[in-house]
Amino acid sequence: MASFYVFNDSPQANQYIKLTFGVFFAEFANTLRHVSTRNTSYTGGEENLRDNDGEISHVARERRPPKHKLHMYVGHDGSMVRLAAGLGIGHANGLRWPAMDSEVVIEVWHASHGMLYIRILREGSPAPPPLDWILLGKFIQLLEDLVPENLGLCVNENTGCDK
C-alpha cells in the first residue's frame, strides 16, 4: 500500500510526519510540560526539557497550564497512523493502518520515588520498549524532536525544513 511507503520506507518519511503532524506534537509536548511543572512535588526529568545550551527547548511556550486531569484527542485514521509512526509504535511489529475503533492511550504515572513516567497503550496492550515506561522529560523530548524548529517558515514558504 502506497501510504505505508510514505510513513515507513520513504527517505522523507520522518520529514513528512514532522510537517503534517508537528503542530500536534508541539501542542502535546506543551500540555505534558505543564503536567510536569504542576506537580512540583514530583520530578519528571526537568533537566531533559533543556537543549544543549541549557535553554528551554524551542517548543516551550508561555501558555496557561491545563486545568484538567484528562485530555482527550480524537482523530481519524490518518491522524492515528501519523501518531504511531512519529512515536515509533509500529516499528516493532510493523506499522498497520489503524482500524475504525483504534486507540492509543498515553498515561502519566507518579512513581513512588517521585519520578513522572509515561506509559503508552495501543489497543489496550503496552507499547514496545522504550514506550512502555519512559521518563516524562524524555518523552517530551521525543515529541519535540518531531517538531521542525522553523515549522511556521516550513508551512508558509516551504523552505529551510531540513531538521
Side-chain angles (χ1 to χ4, degrees):
M1 185 176 221
S3 61
F4 292 113
Y5 174 77
V6 169
F7 297 111
N8 290 319
D9 301 326
S10 168
Q12 294 86 17
N14 288 337
Q15 187 66 9
Y16 178 74
I17 291 166
K18 286 180 179 184
L19 290 174
T20 60
F21 217 59
V23 171
F24 172 80
F25 289 129
E27 182 65 29
F28 191 41
N30 188 58
T31 298
L32 290 174
R33 184 173 300 98
H34 287 301
V35 168
S36 177
T37 57
R38 180 174 56 203
N39 294 290
T40 55
S41 62
Y42 296 95
T43 57
E46 186 74 27
E47 67 281 356
N48 294 323
L49 302 180
R50 300 189 179 277
D51 63 19
N52 294 335
D53 299 322
E55 300 294 322
I56 295 293
S57 67
H58 71 277
V59 178
R61 294 181 173 77
E62 292 295 324
R63 292 192 181 171
R64 196 166 20 139
K67 54 186 172 182
H68 305 291
K69 290 186 176 185
L70 172 70
H71 294 265
M72 184 176 292
Y73 299 95
V74 178
H76 291 279
D77 51 353
S79 302
M80 295 290 287
V81 76
R82 284 173 176 83
L83 177 66
L87 296 178
I89 293 175
H91 289 188
N93 300 323
L95 184 63
R96 296 185 335 231
W97 198 258
M100 180 79 120
D101 60 348
S102 293
E103 67 179 9
V104 174
V105 176
I106 301 173
E107 303 172 329
V108 178
W109 283 75
H110 299 241
S112 60
H113 57 281
M115 299 297 284
L116 292 172
Y117 287 87
I118 292 288
R119 180 173 86 146
I120 298 180
L121 303 169
R122 181 179 183 198
E123 311 304 342
S125 298
L131 296 175
D132 52 347
W133 291 102
I134 184 171
L135 279 171
L136 176 61
K138 291 191 181 294
F139 185 71
I140 291 172
Q141 185 62 55
L142 179 134
L143 292 173
E144 290 177 345
D145 290 345
L146 295 168
V147 180
E149 191 169 325
N150 48 1
L151 182 60
L153 183 63
C154 293
V155 171
N156 293 327
E157 299 180 18
N158 196 24
T159 60
C161 302
D162 296 332
K163 291 188 176 187

